[in-house]
């Protein structure tokens, strides 16, 4: 990865031999982002730092001798174990200490980590994650900014790119906590049809080419997508679809928000053992992990969001955004004007974990590989129990997810005695069946039986007034999102309850 | 403090015997805040959690057995030392370990701290800080939400309360990094005059009573103020002024954003030693610390912002907001739709530090008391050196700050040979002197001499187009903000350079 100097031109002219494109990124900015001024105090400092040895009587920064923390330690699994996740879970493995110091040498001194910093995060940590990115995605001309996880990053991207009245594209079932966060900003969501393979490129093209700016307002310039283990449907986009979607984004000048928290949790990867032995886990994993939108982003139109939430722990609240230098600078200015830089505790932990005294990048990828094996085991258990306890009845079916945490369970409501197709839509594109009512009844039955699965209605795109949008999505709400990341007991007991409840629901 | 149930009425009717008020808080919300919907997934969970033992197959939460961290330790000073800050700085004191565990008992399990949580933070930590609040401010009917420090909290308050075209009030010199953050939201700043005692209540009253909604738009409904060690002027509001300002806020129905990161750093407090012995540090400190706006907030119109940045370390990125239940719920919904809850590392640290195995609240207040002594020593050193090296010439003068980190140094430009009062303002209320030019020249001279102080122009309120607002503030830019929190060497060397540079500037 090349770190371009921060001149951050708003346009990108790329000649890759394959195609030539010239993108004006400033057209994608919200009026809020365009109006944002640089921090005047930091501007003063930029001027001041031209001279070495300058005495700072400018800033109200507590001196590091007054930080009441001299050392921070984390007890973590040893990465030398053959299968570190299994050893860790069983308590049989060795442990390591990840240590940071204020006054002793380490990868990232607590003097730095506990001081004020820039919104983008400390260079040391950004470099470590850029290195990881580079080995996995080899993105052309991008820069890494830290985030507080993907919710933080994504909602900042909404503010960066969205003006009141704008329409953004997304999968028709999606992570509604995030799409809802855009609604108060005045962003409207335009759902794109999905099938078992995820977002359907031809429907994306259809929406964009049929868009009428006179009646519908500005044509969407942002696509929000979860390419791996799409939340809630669990689908993973094929390479072919990714290429098609990127091409459409190129043709219509769309920014792709690639929200990819489940990227590292892939199953049936067939990692090559000899590659591991010869080149290590990072290269071996990189060979078989899906190709991200970022990896094919010659235009600079992808903002990729990665997170430690699923591969370390959600409460860490740390992730990273990879984007072109212009958008990265605008994002960093928003961070400086809102949450500020991520906490030093997490930054120091990441610096040491990925550093030479910690796991290193390759050790981290070994942990991830081991984690994939464990989650794959749970997925397989889930699907086995599902076949035995649920699918046998024919009342529900599910695809086997290739990645992530979710199974999208289809309820075959057409077999239900009270299923009705006679309704007349009250709004154009509204439901013609009683799917929503039956699913609500089933959801409440599951609750009564002591089981929570998330109903599809929770994830269906709603407009600002809370009504389900058209496109007859109301007839396609016959799904539950279930997770297989709980314990074996949860999987067995939960699916047993589910199977019984379904039989009662359909047969009585 | 009473935690009211979260019914969160938008109105507050308070009968305190002194006065009766009925405040409609919903009128203060921005259109964004009013439009925000609850997270649909969390709503599902609220329904689901009525029944104990329900199996969760709903959420994609990694199981705690897969968090690769079993223990987190911080090495901190022992609070049993007589003067813990001095012992810590000299390296002679005992140390303590602040430990959190995933699988062993502790104040806040890492199983909880590293899981997903609510935007307001974990109840355990909120309760600990509410207890601290209670002992210091005894606020009536408020609730505590965690923040990522005051920049995060304040910019969220701007989004919560400010609509495009609104005018907010602030001190005429203020922390411009924050006021600038409000400009892209379309909020205009209305500067209130200051004197040595800080914000002048009569000017606040003048602005509000002269406000013409026809020509000036909606009357300001928010006051942003830094009551202790006002940034940049270092002034601390007297109790009398606070009471006057609160009364004006009451009369005009103004929300007060009390940004108080320096609150705990007060000097010449005269803490009563016998109170310490009899009741501990918390009570002894509470007796002499300034009375906050929160402490007098019977209306519920104060949103108070506290931070660990100045009393622990800035890189912690953790603080807390205290406000009425209605505004707290709206703030928490914004957090759920943006940064998410604060990192578990900091929450676990605070829980243990303030818990029975850590310093406890009283130990924390002992640390703060010791910290005040150290900063008071630095302030006194600064003022001594300032008198010797700077004030003797008569070219600069400064008030002794009662709190915080800043000295507001007045440059007596009227003694400069090239000082001119002949200019005609190009805009109404614009400068009539060449103050800005001379100060710019002096700032550059200091830089050449190897010293940075922050020029007043950096903090003067500017409007959206970047011009200094009227009120002749351009003639009152003859100040530098200097800090006394550096090392003794920085203070001595910096002020020696400053004195010499001033003499050259004035005499040549």
């Amino acid at each position: 990865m090349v770190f371009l100097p921060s001149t951050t031109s708003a346009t990108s002219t790329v000649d890759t031999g394959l195609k030539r494109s010239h993108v004006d990124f400033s057209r994608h900015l919200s009026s809020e982002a365009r109006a944002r001024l640089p921090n005047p105090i930091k501007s003063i400092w930029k001027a001041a730092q031209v001279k070495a040895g300058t005495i700072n009587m400018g800033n109200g920064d507590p001196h590091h001798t007054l930080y009441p923390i001299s050392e921070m330690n984390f007890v973590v699994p040893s990465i030398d174990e053959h299968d570190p996740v299994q050893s860790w879970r069983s308590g049989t493995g060795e442990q390591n200490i990840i240590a940071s110091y204020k006054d002793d040498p380490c990868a990232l001194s607590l003097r730095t980590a506990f001081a004020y910093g820039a919104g983008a995060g400390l260079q040391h940590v950004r470099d470590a994650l850029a290195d990881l990115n580079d080995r996995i995605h080899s993105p052309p001309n991008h820069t890494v900014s830290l985030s507080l996880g993907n919710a933080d990053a994504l909602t900042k991207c909404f503010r960066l790119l969205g003006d009141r009245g704008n329409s953004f594209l997304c999968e028709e079932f999606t992570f509604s906590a995030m799409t809802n966060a855009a609604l108060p900003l005045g962003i409207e969501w335009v759902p794109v049809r999905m099938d078992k393979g995820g977002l359907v490129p031809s429907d994306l093209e259809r929406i964009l080419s049929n868009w009428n700016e006179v009646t519908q307002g500005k044509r969407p310039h942002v696509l929000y997508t979860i390419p791996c283990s799409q939340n809630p449907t669990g689908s993973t986009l094929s390479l072919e679809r990714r290429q098609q979607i990127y091409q459409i984004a190129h043709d219509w000048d769309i920014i792709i928000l690639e929200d990819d928290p489940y990227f590292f949790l892939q199953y049936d990867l067939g990692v090559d053992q000899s590659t591991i032995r010869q080149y290590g886990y990072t290269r071996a994993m990189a060979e078989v992990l899906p190709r991200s939108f970022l990896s094919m982003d010659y235009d600079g139109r992808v903002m990729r969001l990665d997170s430690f939430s699923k591969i370390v722990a959600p409460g860490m609240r740390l992730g990273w955004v990879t984007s072109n230098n212009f958008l990265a600078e605008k994002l960093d200015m928003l961070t400086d004007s809102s949450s500020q830089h991520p906490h030093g505790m997490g930054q120091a932990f990441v610096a040491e974990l990925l550093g030479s005294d910690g796991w290193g990048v390759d050790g981290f990828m070994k942990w991830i590989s081991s984690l994939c094996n464990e989650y794959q085991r749970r997925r397989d258990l889930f699907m086995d129990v599902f076949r035995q306890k649920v699918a046998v009845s024919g009342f529900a079916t599910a695809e086997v997810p290739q990645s992530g945490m979710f199974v999208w369970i289809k309820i075959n409501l057409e077999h239900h005695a009270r299923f009705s197709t006679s309704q007349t839509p009250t709004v154009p594109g509204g439901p013609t069946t009683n799917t929503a009512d039956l699913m609500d009844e089933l959801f409440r039955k599951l609750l009564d039986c002591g089981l929570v699965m998330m109903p599809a209605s929770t994830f269906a795109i709603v407009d600002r007034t809370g009504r389900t949008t058209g496109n007859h999505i109301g007839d396609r709400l016959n799904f539950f999102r279930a997770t297989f990341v709980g314990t074996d007991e949860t999987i067995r007991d939960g699916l047993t309850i589910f199977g019984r409840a379904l039989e009662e629901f359909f047969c009585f």
Side-chain angles (χ1 to χ4, degrees), chain A:
Chain A
M1 181 180 299
V2 179
F3 279 101
L4 291 182
S6 63
T7 50
T8 61
S9 160
T11 61
S12 151
T13 306
V14 185
D15 189 348
T16 65
L18 291 171
K19 57 185 163 189
R20 185 176 172 80
S21 68
H22 182 87
V23 188
D24 175 11
F25 292 112
S26 62
R27 96 161 184 96
H28 290 284
L29 294 180
S30 66
S31 47
E32 178 188 315
R34 273 195 293 265
R36 187 162 285 115
L37 303 169
N39 180 337
I41 296 170
K42 293 191 179 175
S43 302
I44 291 281
W45 263 104
K46 273 189 188 162
Q49 280 177 342
V50 289
K51 193 167 167 176
T54 296
I55 294 177
N56 172 14
M57 300 192 91
N59 290 358
D61 296 3
H63 197 260
H64 62 77
T65 51
L66 299 175
Y67 302 163
I69 299 171
S70 61
E71 186 178 338
M72 182 173 72
N73 294 308
F74 294 88
V75 176
V76 302
S78 165
I79 211 66
D80 294 333
E81 299 288 328
H82 169 66
D83 190 346
V85 169
Q86 290 313 320
S87 304
W88 183 245
R89 290 181 65 224
S90 62
T92 59
E94 295 290 315
Q95 298 181 336
N96 280 167
I97 307 282
I98 298 292
S100 308
Y101 305 98
K102 185 160 72 70
D103 303 318
D104 292 321
C106 57
L108 175 62
S109 170
L110 292 181
R111 291 187 187 185
T112 305
F114 279 136
Y116 285 110
L122 295 167
Q123 197 59 51
H124 185 97
V125 185
R126 296 168 67 194
D127 286 348
L129 293 169
D131 176 48
L132 176 64
N133 261 359
D134 218 13
R135 300 204 216 177
I136 304 286
H137 309 285
S138 307
N141 295 336
H142 282 74
T143 193
V144 166
S145 304
L146 300 194
S147 74
L148 296 163
N150 284 17
D152 172 64
L154 189 61
T155 52
K156 282 176 178 160
C157 288
F158 294 160
R159 292 199 190 273
L160 197 65
L161 303 171
D163 267 324
R164 200 160 281 278
N166 283 178
S167 298
F168 283 10
L169 300 149
C170 67
E171 283 114 354
E172 62 181 349
F173 292 101
T174 190
F175 188 34
S176 49
M178 290 297 99
T179 49
N180 275 8
L183 297 178
L185 315 186
I187 295 167
E188 305 262 9
W189 288 103
V190 181
V192 183
R193 284 295 288 263
M194 304 178 77
D195 61 15
K196 289 173 184 175
L199 188 150
V200 177
S202 62
D203 197 57
L204 181 64
E205 176 66 39
R206 180 191 63 79
I207 291 167
L208 288 162
S209 55
N210 290 344
W211 195 271
N212 182 336
E213 292 209 325
V214 176
T215 58
Q216 294 176 280
K218 184 180 169 185
R219 182 179 284 107
H221 68 109
V222 174
L223 167 67
Y224 166 53
T225 181
I226 308 168
C228 296
S229 185
Q230 199 271 345
N231 190 350
T233 65
S235 58
T236 299
L237 287 172
S238 67
L239 175 59
E240 188 188 0
R241 285 207 179 178
R242 289 169 194 246
Q243 288 169 332
Q244 290 167 347
I245 292 166
Y246 188 84
Q247 183 62 44
I248 295 167
H250 171 86
D251 293 344
W252 293 100
D253 192 13
I254 306 266
I255 301 285
I256 298 175
L257 299 179
E258 180 176 33
D259 181 14
D260 216 355
Y262 308 103
F263 172 76
F264 286 106
L265 302 181
Q266 304 285 338
Y267 313 126
D268 310 313
L269 278 179
V271 183
D272 190 272
Q273 295 300 314
S274 71
T275 307
I276 293 175
R277 282 190 298 274
Q278 203 169 351
Y279 301 106
Y281 279 87
T282 313
R283 179 149 164 189
M285 289 287 281
E287 281 180 356
V288 290
L289 284 166
R291 271 199 66 189
S292 62
F293 284 114
L294 178 67
S295 72
M296 53 186 79
D297 185 27
Y298 291 98
D299 292 347
R301 60 177 67 264
V302 174
M303 301 187 79
R304 179 179 165 82
L305 318 182
D306 280 283
S307 172
F308 287 107
S309 288
K310 307 298 181 182
I311 49 179
V312 177
M316 245 185 100
R317 303 318 308 143
L318 213 65
W320 64 105
V321 180
T322 314
S323 59
N324 78 56
N325 301 301
F326 175 78
L327 292 176
E329 181 166 309
K330 298 298 177 186
L331 179 67
D332 298 343
M333 283 172 69
L334 171 53
T335 301
D336 279 327
S337 289
S338 58
S339 62
Q340 304 276 78
H341 56 93
H343 49 103
M345 292 165 171
Q347 291 199 68
F349 172 73
V350 169
E352 300 300 333
L353 190 76
L354 299 183
S356 56
D357 290 338
W359 287 355
V361 168
D362 213 61
F364 186 60
M365 291 306 292
K366 183 178 179 182
W367 173 261
I368 286 172
S369 168
S370 180
L371 199 57
C372 288
N373 292 339
E374 170 58 18
Y375 278 127
Q376 184 175 319
R377 187 188 68 74
R378 293 180 192 212
R379 181 205 61 175
D380 291 343
L381 173 67
F382 184 104
M383 295 312 301
D384 278 349
V385 179
F386 185 84
R387 274 184 284 271
Q388 293 163 31
K389 302 284 186 184
V390 181
V392 282
S393 70
F395 300 134
T397 47
E399 298 293 311
V400 180
Q402 299 166 37
S403 61
M405 301 188 154
F406 302 121
V407 180
W408 191 231
I409 300 174
K410 184 180 182 187
I411 308 300
N412 298 316
L413 281 187
E414 64 276 15
H415 300 326
H416 197 281
R418 285 187 278 115
F419 181 67
S420 144
T421 57
S422 59
Q423 292 182 8
T424 310
T426 51
V427 290
T432 59
T433 63
N434 62 342
T435 298
D437 291 342
L438 287 176
M439 285 300 290
D440 190 54
E441 194 181 321
L442 178 55
F443 173 71
R444 288 176 196 286
K445 182 169 188 64
L446 295 182
L447 272 190
D448 286 344
C449 297
L451 177 67
V452 174
M453 289 183 177
M454 302 305 281
S457 58
T458 316
F459 305 99
I461 285 302
V462 294
D463 67 19
R464 264 194 267 181
T465 56
R467 292 166 308 181
T468 303
T469 52
N471 216 15
H472 297 287
I473 200 168
D475 294 330
R476 289 178 284 117
L477 297 177
N478 53 322
F479 291 87
F480 283 110
R481 185 190 79 177
T483 180
F484 54 84
V485 299
T487 61
D488 294 7
E489 193 186 8
T490 297
I491 292 170
R492 287 202 184 91
D493 293 353
L495 290 180
T496 303
I497 291 173
F498 187 55
R500 276 195 218 124
L502 271 184
E503 285 184 29
E504 288 178 23
F505 177 70
F506 274 89
C507 303
F508 295 98

